[in-house]
Amino acid sequence: ASTTTTSSPTDSSANGSYSAAPVAAVTNTNTQKASFTLFEKLSFSIFRYSSYSPNYLPENVLVDCPNDQTSRWSAYTNSPPQYLTLKLKRPAIVKKIKFGKFEKSHVCNIKKFRVFGGLEDEHMVLLLEGGLKNDNIPEVFNLRCMTEDGTENLPILYLKIVPLLSWGPSFNFSIWYIELHGQDDPMYTCARMKSYNSLREVEIIKLCLKHFRQQGYMKAFDALQEQTQVRLEHTLISELHKYLVVDGDFEGAERFIADCIDEGLMDDYLNKKDYKHTWQIKYTLSDVKPGNRGGHQLVVDAKKRLIYLYGGWDGYQDLSDLWLYNIELDEWTLLCERSELVNGPTPRSCHKMIFDPVSENIFMLGRYLDNSIRTSEYIKSDFYLYDTRARIWMQICDDTSQVGGPQLVYDHQMCMDTDKRTIYVFGGKILTPRSSTATSAIEAEYSGLFSYHIATNTWTQILVDCHHASASQADVMSIKSRITHCMVFHTKQRKLYIYGGQRGKEDLDELLTYDVDTQAISILNKEHSHQCSTASTEAKFEPSPGYTLRATIDCDRDEIYVFSSLHKIKDRRDVHHIDASNSFWVYSLRTYKWSRIYYRRHSAQDVSSIYKANFLGASKGDGALEPCPRYAHQLVYDEVAKTHYLFGGNPGISQYQQLRLDDFWMLYLEKPKREEILNHCRYLIRKLHYEEMTGTEPLKAMQYLRKQISAVIDHNDDEQLNNFHKLAALLFKSDDNDASDVQSLTTTPLREKAEEINENAIETPNAEDTHLGSDDGKLESNESLTTSGISETASTPNDSSCTKRARTDAKGELQNHRAFLFNKLVQLMPSGMVQPERNLSDFVVI
């Protein structure tokens, strides 16, 4: 039952702040530091609320009393919808919202919430979707303060907070304190209000123009356009409308679309589509190659097209061999069989390496030691360099902890800042000497963020772990450290990106950024959650935190790539279970969105198949080549060839606990090409042309189907071929049959006739899979528009807004179908060039 609690249990994450100073913790955002001086604290009142518990009044959120547990608004129940609506003193541009908290963690803190805003309390838009940590540190979130197209500020008068989930699922929602920051000075907001209202007025006029043209009210269309001087769309789009809808010049429309694609007008649409992936296993020609291993390291010299591999665990012992793979020659070379014999590092695994493209040196730090050999004499954080030009090893330091660097760690991460000649090392578990009096209850120690300046050979600790003894000092910045995380460095933005990881039994699913120049920390999946996918918040459409994530970055594309394989379960030694799967994700730093490129689950009964996959590269299911799920593998990215390389790892098969892999894979990611979308548009235009011909010239239509439409169909694709067969049904449709009758025709003679047309078709190239729409990437069928690759709310032309008004004449019906296709095609063009996506009729409720 839902209850209101007064208890204040302590949460283990209460001390997991991202800065020792609360102000720094809540203002670490991508916004410039001047934000709080430009944007002031705003006055507001409580306008409306869903409910409240006795003594926990909505007005309590106006006062910040973190030591008074009654100073909060608490809903009477946690049954949705619960909300709290605030009214500002006057319209304002609201930039930030701050949530105060109780002095301890509390089960009533809101774990998930949404914030809406608008000038009217009945019409609001989503400004933020996020959640609070269950601790005592106030949190500040950026609110969306721009219109959807980003051209104007978004003034609001009302702000609505909707709790979705509390930290104690059966407890009521509580908000302790709210503070809004923005600008409501009329000198500032009046101009923004005027611009915003002008923008709305133009949008209203465009909606009217769109409606008039679609309904054929051309006199009203011309009059409104002339009086307002508002253009519905770019002149190029109007030209396409004339070709396709007015004149029915399908050949001209095809030529026009081809010219638009050549000019790059559809490139933005193509760039927004997901990648198509291809795995390829490498069977190298080398007589020798690295053997089975996990916990090894790979680095890439992209300029010279070389990959270096060092060490790892082969299931029985640590290795110290150094290998070179030449990408151009496709061959492995053994550089050092035992590096410790040539002044190199001792055998090791769970270490980290980084390649410096300026000096062409490899730097190596860290390793894992079994508990039995963790003695004070042996636990030293040695730091090595390998000169790839001279092919010699050199020890830089015997123990970095003695010169201001990290202690001996494993499962840490390293990144290289080539411009500043600096290496960054973050996280990892600190190895401490084994003690006869030690107990297993001693909490693990985690390493913070360190930098190493190559030119001066100096270490600096930037951030300490949140549980470090100095973390409570006001001038010391701290961070919640972790293991098994990902970290990459963006050379242009000069930021470290950290995702996922584990700390004890806690999985960390946040995406952190650290600006190496300003020392600002941000949590991206909080600040930009209002821009993320509309997928269910519960589903969390992002890589699952675990210990198998591997990340790379492409700074030119502003994309982070994450490969996720086996997930954590209770018994880590039996990780191959029913949920064993591979998935590959892309995070766009331009849209702040995750995209899952592919996902494939592997059955728990697949032990023998996975064992064979180590050698054959075959996966269960459709027979497509793909690495089997694994951990302790390595993934690197060749930014020149835009190719990923994966080597080895542990498949996690309980029957073969010593088994390690030695398979070598390449992963290619490719966006849809211009030729593919051109082929897709040609199919849509020719399909409509064919449908019009069937009513007047069936013989000519049959020839058109055999030649023109067949030429843009992939006859190796079952769905496209099935749709092609169905088109033949229109040739046999009687005048009194409606479209639904045609789609239901599945008689054997008709199918045989369709297949005969297909067999006699001329020019039947095997066009590539368009992958422009859904995951299947099929062309549109008569029954489903969801596979067309073009977002469309209507399922059939008769449902679209262009046919809201019934028309009985054949010409009107013809115009309807042409307008429907036009609406679909223009969605592939830049949004600033085309008519509004919404329709005037959408706002009419009867």
Side-chain angles (χ1 to χ4, degrees):
S2 300
T3 58
T4 301
T5 180
T6 57
S7 63
S8 302
T10 301
D11 186 89
S12 60
S13 64
N15 294 322
S17 63
Y18 294 99
S19 175
V23 173
V26 298
T27 59
N28 280 328
T29 65
N30 290 330
T31 311
Q32 296 179 353
K33 293 182 178 179
S35 296
F36 270 103
T37 56
L38 176 63
F39 294 96
E40 304 167 351
K41 183 179 176 180
L42 302 175
S43 300
F44 62 88
S45 59
I46 306 299
F47 176 73
R48 186 175 294 170
Y49 49 86
S50 54
S51 65
Y52 69 90
S53 298
N55 300 324
Y56 300 104
L57 304 175
E59 286 74 18
N60 289 343
V61 302
L62 302 175
V63 183
D64 189 12
C65 298
N67 57 350
D68 181 4
Q69 65 173 338
T70 64
S71 180
R72 54 178 161 130
W73 166 69
S74 188
Y76 186 73
T77 175
N78 61 4
S79 300
Q82 299 297 315
Y83 62 88
L84 188 64
T85 302
L86 315 177
K87 183 178 182 181
L88 295 160
K89 185 177 180 180
R90 50 181 173 257
I93 309 299
V94 184
K95 180 70 176 178
K96 297 175 181 289
I97 182 171
K98 174 182 177 180
F99 289 92
K101 297 180 184 177
F102 186 48
E103 61 183 357
K104 300 178 182 178
S105 61
H106 201 288
V107 290
C108 291
N109 282 335
I110 49 177
K111 188 176 183 179
K112 295 179 182 178
F113 64 87
R114 291 191 180 105
V115 178
F116 299 85
L119 291 172
E120 302 174 16
D121 67 300
E122 296 296 331
H123 299 91
M124 300 191 193
V125 295
L126 181 65
L127 305 181
L128 171 70
E129 185 171 349
L132 298 177
K133 288 184 175 295
N134 195 17
D135 55 25
N136 63 337
I137 302 174
E139 294 185 63
V140 172
F141 298 84
N142 287 339
L143 293 174
R144 169 189 160 196
C145 58
M146 302 293 290
T147 55
E148 287 185 356
D149 58 5
T151 58
E152 294 292 343
N153 287 105
L154 182 66
I156 64 171
L157 184 60
Y158 297 91
L159 190 137
K160 183 177 181 180
I161 303 169
V162 181
L164 301 174
L165 183 66
S166 62
W167 277 94
S170 61
F171 290 86
N172 299 344
F173 308 116
S174 288
I175 298 178
W176 304 83
Y177 175 66
I178 296 173
E179 198 173 285
L180 301 178
H181 289 261
Q183 184 57 261
D184 65 351
D185 189 334
M187 293 286 291
Y188 179 84
T189 58
C190 282
R192 273 73 186 174
M193 286 287 292
K194 184 177 180 180
S195 299
Y196 177 71
N197 288 329
S198 297
L199 193 67
R200 292 182 64 190
E201 181 67 17
V202 170
E203 190 70 11
I204 292 171
I205 294 172
K206 285 185 176 181
L207 288 172
C208 292
L209 289 171
K210 178 182 178 182
H211 183 76
F212 291 162
R213 186 172 70 179
Q214 289 183 157
Q215 301 303 317
Y217 307 142
M218 296 312 298
K219 289 184 179 179
F221 176 89
D222 294 336
L224 181 59
Q225 190 164 255
E226 181 180 355
Q227 184 172 354
T228 61
Q229 295 299 307
V230 173
R231 305 291 303 183
L232 172 61
E233 62 207 0
H234 193 278
T235 53
L236 281 175
I237 307 301
S238 298
E239 188 177 348
L240 174 61
H241 184 272
K242 185 175 186 301
Y243 275 127
L244 185 60
V245 181
V246 178
D247 298 338
D249 183 357
F250 296 100
E251 289 78 8
E254 269 196 47
R255 290 193 300 270
F256 181 85
I257 289 292
D259 291 341
C260 288
I261 293 175
D262 288 340
E263 293 294 327
L265 293 182
M266 294 187 184
D267 286 355
D268 286 344
Y269 174 82
L270 291 175
N271 290 332
K272 291 177 182 178
K273 304 308 295 181
D274 286 339
Y275 287 101
K276 183 179 180 181
H277 77 282
T278 304
W279 282 104
Q280 179 182 332
I281 192 167
K282 292 292 293 179
Y283 298 104
T284 60
L285 302 177
S286 308
D287 295 331
V288 293
K289 62 178 182 178
N292 305 48
R293 67 190 69 205
H296 51 287
Q297 277 290 293
L298 298 177
V299 292
V300 178
D301 180 350
K303 183 178 179 181
K304 291 188 175 180
R305 321 288 292 125
L306 302 173
I307 297 177
Y308 293 88
L309 180 153
Y310 180 86
W313 173 267
D314 66 0
Y316 302 93
Q317 63 181 350
D318 279 326
L319 305 171
S320 60
D321 50 349
L322 178 65
W323 293 82
L324 171 67
Y325 176 72
N326 189 307
I327 297 175
E328 301 290 346
L329 300 179
D330 186 25
E331 65 179 16
W332 285 99
T333 303
L334 178 61
L335 300 178
C336 298
E337 185 173 2
R338 296 181 62 187
S339 297
E340 70 273 20
L341 300 181
V342 287
N343 300 319
T346 55
R348 62 191 60 202
S349 59
C350 300
H351 53 290
K352 288 295 179 288
M353 297 196 313
I354 195 72
F355 179 77
D356 177 13
V358 176
S359 65
E360 298 184 18
N361 291 332
I362 297 173
F363 294 87
M364 180 188 298
L365 180 73
R367 58 174 167 164
Y368 176 79
L369 290 178
D370 190 81
N371 188 52
S372 60
I373 57 174
R374 294 180 191 174
T375 61
S376 300
E377 299 78 21
Y378 204 50
I379 294 187
K380 291 184 178 181
S381 178
D382 47 8
F383 189 32
Y384 284 90
L385 173 152
Y386 181 76
D387 188 332
T388 63
R389 301 176 190 175
R391 294 194 174 184
I392 57 173
W393 282 104
M394 182 180 72
Q395 186 181 69
I396 303 173
C397 178
D398 178 60
D399 189 354
T400 57
S401 66
Q402 301 302 310
V403 290
Q407 296 174 260
L408 181 58
V409 293
Y410 69 95
D411 274 347
H412 51 297
Q413 289 294 331
M414 292 173 62
C415 288
M416 180 74 198
D417 177 1
T418 54
D419 293 338
K420 296 293 181 70
R421 314 294 299 125
T422 301
I423 297 173
Y424 292 95
V425 182
F426 171 64
K429 191 172 290 187
I430 298 174
L431 289 175
T432 54
R434 176 174 55 87
S435 172
S436 59
T437 60
T439 65
S440 59
I442 296 178
E443 184 178 357
E445 296 181 50
Y446 296 87
S447 183
L449 176 64
F450 291 83
S451 67
Y452 172 73
H453 190 237
I454 297 174
T456 58
N457 189 28
T458 55
W459 283 95
T460 304
Q461 182 158 19
I462 303 171
L463 301 173
V464 301
D465 178 56
C466 59
H467 284 181
H468 192 271
S470 63
S472 59
Q473 299 177 17
D475 59 341
V476 176
M477 292 186 66
S478 67
I479 189 169
K480 179 181 283 188
S481 189
R482 61 204 68 196
I483 59 173
T484 70
H485 51 292
C486 304
M487 185 171 76
V488 293
F489 181 69
H490 197 301
T491 56
K492 298 178 181 178
Q493 297 180 5
R494 301 195 49 72
K495 290 181 180 180
L496 291 169
Y497 288 89
I498 302 166
Y499 181 76
Q502 296 172 309
R503 185 183 178 94
K505 296 181 179 180
E506 180 184 7
D507 287 333
L508 306 174
D509 59 355
E510 58 208 2
L511 177 58
L512 296 175
T513 72
Y514 175 78
D515 190 308
V516 298
D517 296 327
T518 66
Q519 294 191 325
I521 300 175
S522 305
I523 308 177
L524 280 188
N525 45 356
K526 274 193 174 183
E527 293 178 8
H528 302 282
S529 55
H530 65 274
Q531 301 179 17
C532 292
S533 171
T534 56
S536 169
T537 307
E538 293 291 334
K540 287 186 70 66
F541 195 71
E542 59 188 41
S544 300
Y547 60 100
T548 66
L549 301 182
R550 299 291 183 267
T552 59
I553 189 170
D554 190 314
C555 300
D556 295 327
R557 294 174 173 175
D558 289 328
E559 292 176 338
I560 297 174
Y561 310 106
V562 175
F563 176 63
S564 174
S565 196
L566 295 173
H567 297 300
K568 182 183 71 172
I569 57 172
K570 294 180 180 179
D571 183 5
R572 287 196 179 187
R573 291 189 176 273
D574 189 19
V575 291
H576 185 66
H577 56 101
I578 193 169
D579 290 327
S581 61
N582 285 335
S583 59
F584 196 88
W585 301 77
V586 177
Y587 184 79
S588 171
L589 296 172
R590 298 172 183 173
T591 63
Y592 305 105
K593 289 183 179 180
W594 284 104
S595 298
R596 191 175 71 185
I597 304 305
Y598 83 96
Y599 170 83
R600 180 166 296 159
R601 175 173 293 181
H602 293 249
S603 170
Q605 287 74 36
D606 239 4
V607 174
S608 59
S609 298
I610 288 187
Y611 185 78
K612 293 177 182 178
N614 179 31
F615 310 101
L616 304 179
S619 67
K620 185 74 173 177
D622 57 9
L625 289 178
E626 182 200 2
C628 64
R630 63 192 65 201
Y631 65 96
H633 52 288
Q634 278 305 309
L635 180 79
V636 292
Y637 182 58
D638 177 2
E639 58 187 16
V640 174
K642 307 298 184 185
T643 304
H644 283 87
Y645 292 87
L646 180 146
F647 185 91
N650 187 337
I653 303 176
S654 58
Q655 296 94 319
Y656 306 95
Q657 293 187 12
Q658 277 71 43
L659 174 64
R660 300 298 183 269
L661 306 175
D662 67 345
D663 47 350
F664 191 33
W665 296 83
M666 293 192 301
L667 173 64
Y668 301 99
L669 301 176
E670 188 178 40
K671 290 281 188 179
K673 299 178 181 178
R674 289 181 177 180
E675 294 78 10
E676 297 176 55
I677 198 169
L678 175 60
N679 206 48
H680 178 68
C681 293
R682 281 174 171 164
Y683 168 77
L684 295 177
I685 294 172
R686 294 180 186 184
K687 175 175 171 288
L688 179 60
H689 190 191
Y690 163 76
E691 289 171 350
E692 290 190 11
M693 282 194 294
T694 55
T696 56
E697 302 174 282
L699 183 59
K700 184 178 179 181
M702 184 178 68
Q703 295 296 329
Y704 189 83
L705 178 65
R706 292 174 58 189
K707 296 182 180 180
Q708 304 302 322
I709 296 185
S710 178
V712 292
I713 290 293
D714 182 357
H715 295 269
N716 293 323
D717 188 304
D718 291 338
E719 184 172 342
Q720 291 189 35
L721 189 60
N722 186 40
N723 297 334
F724 178 67
H725 291 164
K726 290 180 179 179
L727 288 178
L730 294 175
L731 293 169
F732 311 100
K733 181 177 75 72
S734 60
D735 294 338
D736 56 349
N737 284 341
D738 57 21
S740 62
D741 294 331
V742 175
Q743 294 183 9
S744 64
L745 290 175
T746 56
T747 59
T748 302
L750 179 60
R751 177 58 56 90
E752 291 174 351
K753 182 65 176 178
E755 291 175 350
E756 179 184 347
I757 293 175
N758 177 49
E759 291 170 358
N760 296 329
I762 303 174
E763 300 177 8
T764 56
N766 295 330
E768 293 183 358
D769 181 11
T770 60
H771 63 276
L772 296 172
S774 67
D775 292 338
D776 295 331
K778 313 300 183 185
L779 289 173
E780 175 205 11
S781 67
N782 287 338
E783 287 73 19
S784 174
L785 299 177
T786 60
T787 57
S788 66
I790 307 171
S791 174
E792 181 62 56
T793 55
S795 60
T796 65
N798 291 329
D799 293 332
S800 68
S801 59
C802 64
T803 57
K804 295 293 182 183
R805 183 172 60 90
R807 297 184 179 183
T808 56
D809 58 294
K811 183 178 180 181
E813 189 65 25
L814 187 106
Q815 293 289 105
N816 286 343
H817 285 78
R818 292 178 180 177
F820 176 74
L821 177 57
F822 170 79
N823 290 341
K824 290 174 68 64
L825 292 175
V826 297
Q827 291 181 42
L828 307 176
M829 304 287 192
S831 58
M833 294 180 62
V834 303
Q835 61 188 14
E837 186 176 350
R838 291 171 293 185
N839 302 289
L840 194 63
S841 55
D842 297 338
F843 301 94
V844 179
V845 179
I846 299 178

